[in-house]
Amino acid sequence: MNLLELSKTVRELRKKQGMTVETLAKQSGFSKGFISQIENFRITPSLKALMRISAALGVSLEELFSGNRAPVKPYSFGNISDGEPFDRDAGSAYGIHYLALAHRQIGRKMDPFIIEYTPGPEREFLLHDTEEFFLLLEGELDYCIYDDENRKHLSPGDTVYMCANVPHRVVLPESCSRARALVIYSDLPEL
């Protein structure tokens, strides 16, 4: 299943029908946060959950997956220029821009992104249900884990590997106007 395409399909169908996240949540019997996590490809919903969501959207389960049809190959080639811009967790409001690199690979176990950081409001601490690998490519960042006291200054070439559910955030130093990183999230767990 291509989680990125599925999340886009759920969001597009919801918006096409003029539904808010809250309305879809109520009609499907899930929380607003759960629907938001699906639309931001933070979790992989179970088939049972998808059946409830498709019913709430008034579409068949097959229609929900219609955007996910592609020949399944054990490989895919791509280029950064083929990347799919994606706003995850309203990151653009904080100066964080995601570029999905493997969105065409069906059944993948990793989600690699190029993330660009630009000045913006203070970023909140985030945690993910997945493991994460981070490689700073350009610029400088302060990487905070658990709190602002556990801060490590990163330069190009520095890496961070984190297990699931570790609160973290990045701080763009005032001396740096832009940073870019390669981030790889592991397979998302089934719910």
Side-chain angles (χ1 to χ4, degrees), residues 144-163:
C144 304
I145 297 181
Y146 294 114
D147 57 38
D148 287 328
E149 302 303 313
N150 291 310
R151 179 183 297 241
K152 171 86 171 153
H153 184 76
L154 302 181
S155 297
D158 288 339
T159 65
V160 179
Y161 187 98
M162 284 185 301
C163 292

Side-chain angles (χ1 to χ4, degrees), residues 13-154:
L13 287 170
R14 176 183 59 77
K15 286 183 174 183
K16 194 177 199 180
Q17 296 180 32
M19 278 186 174
T20 64
V21 171
E22 187 173 0
T23 303
L24 179 56
K26 284 180 184 175
Q27 291 185 3
S28 62
F30 293 113
S31 70
K32 184 177 170 183
F34 182 76
I35 299 298
S36 180
Q37 286 181 316
I38 291 171
E39 289 189 3
N40 287 299
F41 68 97
R42 303 286 297 206
I43 57 173
T44 302
S46 66
L47 187 56
K48 192 174 185 179
L50 290 173
M51 289 171 57
R52 288 171 48 186
I53 290 168
S54 66
L57 290 168
V59 299
S60 69
L61 195 56
E62 182 180 8
E63 288 175 89
L64 197 60
F65 286 100
S66 65
N68 284 298
R69 291 201 183 134
V72 178
K73 296 181 191 177
Y75 63 90
S76 60
F77 292 102
N79 187 288
I80 286 179
S81 64
D82 300 330
E84 178 78 22
F86 195 83
D87 190 21
R88 182 176 185 183
D89 298 328
S92 59
Y94 297 97
I96 302 173
H97 306 280
Y98 291 82
L99 187 65
L101 299 177
H103 58 95
R104 292 187 181 130
Q105 181 63 42
I106 304 299
R108 67 187 176 278
K109 303 285 185 203
M110 300 178 291
D111 273 316
F113 295 90
I114 294 290
I115 302 180
E116 182 175 276
Y117 301 91
T118 56
E122 184 172 278
R123 294 160 178 88
E124 299 175 11
F125 278 87
L126 299 173
L127 56 104
H128 315 290
D129 292 340
T130 65
E131 293 188 358
E132 177 179 333
F133 177 77
F134 180 97
L135 166 63
L136 187 61
L137 301 171
E138 300 172 22
E140 296 181 26
L141 289 174
D142 289 337
Y143 209 97
C144 304
I145 297 181
Y146 294 114
D147 57 38
D148 287 328
E149 302 303 313
N150 291 310
R151 179 183 297 241
K152 171 86 171 153
H153 184 76
L154 302 181

